Amino acid sequence: MTQSDSIAYDVVVIGAGPVGENVADRTRAAGLSTAIVESELVGGECSYWACMPSKALLRPVLARADARRLPGLSRSVRDPLDTAAVLARRDEYTSHWKDDGQVQWVEGIGADLYRGRGRLAGPRTVEVAAPDSTRRVLTARHAVAVCTGSGAALPGLPGLAEVRPWTSREATSAKSAPGRLIVVGGGVVAVEMATAWQALGSRVTLLVRGDGGLLARMEPFAGELVAEALTEAGVDIRTGTSVESVKREGGTVVAVTDTGDRVEADEILFATGRVPRTDDIGLETVGLEPGSWLPVDDSLRVEGHDWLYAVGDVNHRALLTHQGKYQARVAGAAIAARASGVPDLDSGPWGAHAATADHDAVPQVVFTDPEAASVGLTLAEAEQAGHRVRAVDVDLATVAGASLYGDGYRGRARMVVDLEDEIVRGVTFVGPGVGEMIHSATVAVAGQVPISRLWHAVPSYPTISEVWLRLLESYRDN
C-alpha cells in the first residue's frame, strides 16, 4: 500500500449514483473543481438494481395487462410472457452491469472519478481506498457531499444468512424466475416485485406484517385496489402475518409465521425497509454516529457542519431517486453560492437553495397493475399537519378517457383541498396509465395553484386527465 500526497478540490462527492452525479454536475457547472468517489458502479443503485431494472421487468407486464382490456387485441396476448426476452431487455437497460457510459458522462462534465471506498478522515478530508490497495487523500476547500444512499434492511432472524435471501438487488437482477417466491413486506418494492415475478411465471406469496394492508403510506384505497388486482393475478396475500423463522431444507426455503403456518418457496425476498449506507464512511472522525441517517437543513447541509452535505436517501427526507436528484440540484446551487461568498442564500420556502418539495410536494409512482401515483399530503397527513382540508373523490371509470383506455377500467382519484387557502395539498390517482398523469398534480401542488385558476386549466377530451374537471366540479358542487 502506498500513500500519496493529498489532492485538493473545491468539492468532493462520496457516491456516484444519480444523486452524486447531479451534485457533481451542478458544482462543475458553477466552475468548482470536483472529485467524485465510487466503490461500486458509477450510476449507483437506481441504474443497476432498482429503478431501471425493476421498470424494465414491469413494463411488459403492464403493457400486456392493458392489451388484455381491449377487444380486438386481447386474444393476441393470451400466451404467457416470454420471460427470457423480458430478462434480456432488462439486461440491456442495466448495460449488463457495466458502467462505461456513466464513466464517460462523469468525464464529460469535467469531474475527476476515483474508484474505491471513500471515507471521511476528518473535516473536509476524504480518504479513498482503491481496489489496488493504494490510498489517496482528497481535501475539499468548500464542501464534501455524502451521497452514499441506502441499502436493504434485513430482519434479525436466526440463520437468515444461510438462507441467502433476496433483497431488492437480487429481485431485480435474477437470471430466471423462481418457481415459488415468498415476498415479505407490503411497500413499493414488495408489490412491484410481486407484480413482476407473478407475471413472469413465479407463484408468489406476499406476507404483510400488521393489518394496515399494502402501500400504507398512500391513501388507503391505493393499497386496496392493488391488493385486489394482485389477488386476481394469483398472488396469495396474507396480511397480519410476521415471519418468525426461516431456513433452507435442501433447495427449499421454509418460512414459519407467527401463526405457525409453514410457507415453502424456492426464494424469499425481504422488502422490509432501508438503512443508510453510513456505517463505514468515517462519520466518527467528524463527531457523527456511524450507521445513522444524517439530518440536514433545507440546503442539504448536515446540522452542525458548515462544510458537510448529505444528499439523497442518506438524509432520510424522501427515499426516491427523483427526489434525491432534486436535492442534488439544490445542494449544488447552495454549495456554489456559499463558495462564491453570497451573503444570504435564497433559503426561504421554494427558494433556489431550499429543498421545499421534500416537505410538501413529493411525487411517487408505483408501477403495479393498476398503477398508483401520488404527490403531496394524504388526507390523514394533511389533517395531522393541522390543515383544514376536504377530500374530493372520483371514480376514474366514469371518465370517458379511462373507459376508452380499456374495458373494465377500475380506478379512483382523490384531491385534498386546503379549505382556507383553496389550494391543492395532495393528489392520488390509482388506475391503469395514471403514472404519466402525476406531474400535472405535482405542478398544481408545488405551484400552490389556486382552485379558481385550476378551473381554467382545461383537460383535453377524451383523456384520463379529464378527471381533473370531475374533481373540480365535485369540489365546487359540494
Side-chain angles (χ1 to χ4, degrees), residues 50-91:
C51 316
M52 295 306 291
S54 66
K55 282 24 173 207
L57 290 174
L58 285 158
R59 180 61 198 138
V61 178
L62 303 187
R64 182 181 67 168
D66 285 343
R68 285 180 168 178
R69 297 184 182 99
L70 293 173
L73 186 57
S74 57
R75 289 186 180 181
S76 302
V77 288
R78 288 180 176 176
D79 292 339
L81 289 170
D82 184 338
T83 301
V86 173
L87 297 180
R89 185 172 186 264
R90 182 272 319 270
D91 293 351

Side-chain angles (χ1 to χ4, degrees), residues 10-11 24 27-34 142 332 335-336 339-340:
D10 292 323
V11 180
T27 56
R28 283 298 302 130
L32 300 176
S33 61
T34 302
H142 298 294
I335 291 168
S340 64

Side-chain angles (χ1 to χ4, degrees), residues 165-168 171 181-185 189-190 193-194 267-271:
W166 279 12
T167 66
S168 53
L181 175 65
I182 298 169
V183 179
V184 183
V189 172
M193 290 299 94
E267 302 291 350
I268 184 168
L269 162 63
F270 282 91

Side-chain angles (χ1 to χ4, degrees), residues 26 298-300 325-335 351-355:
R26 291 298 84 210
D298 274 358
S299 72
L300 292 310
K325 291 166 71 174
Y326 159 72
Q327 292 176 13
R329 295 190 291 272
V330 172
I335 291 168
H353 307 124

Side-chain angles (χ1 to χ4, degrees), residues 4 61-62 120 337 394-395 432 445:
S4 65
V61 178
L62 303 187
L120 293 167
V394 169
D395 180 353
V445 173

